[in-house]
Amino acid sequence: QKEVEQDPGPLSVPEGAIVSLNCTYSNSAFQYFMWYRQYSRKGPELLMYTYSSGNKEDGRFTAQVDKSSKYISLFIRDSQPSDSATYLCAMSFNSGNTPLVFGKGTRLSVIA
Amino acid sequence: EPEVTQTPSHQVTQMGQEVILRCVPISNHLYFYWYRQILGQKVEFLVSFYNNEISEKSEIFDDQFSVERPDGSNFTLKIRSTKLEDSAMYFCASKVGEDTQYFGPGTRLTVL
């Protein structure tokens, strides 16, 4: 069973839509959760970083973690064409010097 | 805003040749990482480095790979004898303390 599963999409939505991106994981030892945005042939750019179950909001972005279900989500409100990118979930066992384990990424297109 | 930089942006090499990929982490960061992403695949951890030594390495990081921090600013990844399957994007990342990892723009390595 793969450690981190993420629907690769592609996902296409109209401008202004609410987008929901999701990852599931199998190892309950993961405690820290991140969402990165990656434009084509560029490096991952950190969007959200959280470690507790519940919601964390930053502007149009909300990260949601449900540790009991081993499920994390990223919601994008009022999506813009500039949000078109691949969104990667990542997680780690602790906040120290530990590798990140990534999902495969979901490719999102926001159509004007 | 400080950022991780990487050079070159694109490296083309012949199979069997040695390559060195260079990274300048964010200046006050203490932990350094290399990841790779084969086209269409997940971002995969290669190695972590702290206090001038390797902290952890994945099974991908075999004897053909080495890392070095030759001075106070650069962090390098060397591949001694490149193979076709080493063709990928290579990302450097760094972090300080309990914050998460920040990624560079990547070096695209093409092995012919």
Side-chain angles (χ1 to χ4, degrees):
Chain A
Q1 186 179 10
K2 296 178 184 175
E3 274 202 295
V4 180
E5 299 264 17
Q6 185 176 7
D7 186 341
L11 181 62
S12 185
V13 302
E15 183 176 357
I18 296 174
V19 176
S20 172
L21 305 167
N22 310 296
C23 284
T24 59
Y25 59 98
S26 56
N27 192 336
S28 57
F30 286 126
Q31 296 295 320
Y32 288 78
F33 306 92
M34 289 125 270
W35 285 95
Y36 286 85
R37 177 173 61 196
Q38 186 178 29
Y39 293 111
S40 182
R41 296 191 181 274
K42 301 293 184 186
E45 172 195 5
L46 179 68
L47 283 177
M48 302 285 284
Y49 173 44
T50 185
Y51 54 86
S52 54
S53 281
N55 294 352
K56 180 178 180 180
E57 193 172 315
D58 184 1
R60 295 185 296 111
F61 298 92
T62 300
Q64 187 177 80
V65 173
D66 183 345
K67 290 185 181 180
S68 62
S69 301
K70 300 196 197 68
Y71 188 91
I72 67 171
S73 299
L74 178 71
F75 298 96
I76 307 173
R77 288 183 298 282
D78 188 25
S79 55
Q80 303 295 310
S82 56
D83 295 328
S84 298
T86 297
Y87 289 80
L88 310 173
C89 66
M91 45 199 78
S92 63
F93 296 123
N94 57 56
S95 62
N97 185 17
T98 184
L100 299 182
V101 180
F102 282 85
K104 199 171 181 181
T106 299
R107 191 171 161 191
L108 171 67
S109 293
V110 181
I111 311 301
Chain B
E1 187 175 323
E3 57 185 20
V4 177
T5 60
Q6 291 185 243
T7 54
S9 57
H10 188 196
Q11 174 92 48
V12 181
T13 190
Q14 295 290 326
M15 190 169 55
Q17 295 297 303
E18 175 183 287
V19 294
I20 297 176
L21 310 183
R22 291 182 168 81
C23 168
V24 179
I26 296 173
S27 62
N28 63 331
H29 285 192
L30 301 175
Y31 303 92
F32 313 113
Y33 308 84
W34 284 101
Y35 292 80
R36 79 171 185 190
Q37 185 178 31
I38 294 170
L39 189 64
Q41 304 293 317
K42 291 184 179 184
V43 176
E44 301 174 287
F45 168 73
L46 292 178
V47 66
S48 59
F49 192 86
Y50 170 70
N51 203 25
N52 282 318
E53 60 183 26
I54 290 174
S55 309
E56 188 172 345
K57 57 184 180 180
S58 71
E59 58 189 25
I60 303 168
F61 194 89
D62 62 22
D63 292 344
Q64 293 299 312
F65 291 89
S66 62
V67 289
E68 195 176 39
R69 187 153 162 84
D71 53 43
S73 58
N74 289 285
F75 179 49
T76 62
L77 175 69
K78 182 192 291 185
I79 309 175
R80 267 181 265 284
S81 178
T82 49
K83 306 181 184 70
L84 295 176
E85 55 265 37
D86 292 328
S87 294
M89 286 289 287
Y90 287 82
F91 296 109
C92 173
S94 68
K95 66 176 278 183
V96 59
E98 298 194 349
D99 198 1
T100 191
Q101 297 173 27
Y102 293 87
F103 285 75
T107 292
R108 181 154 63 106
L109 177 64
T110 302
V111 182
L112 302 175

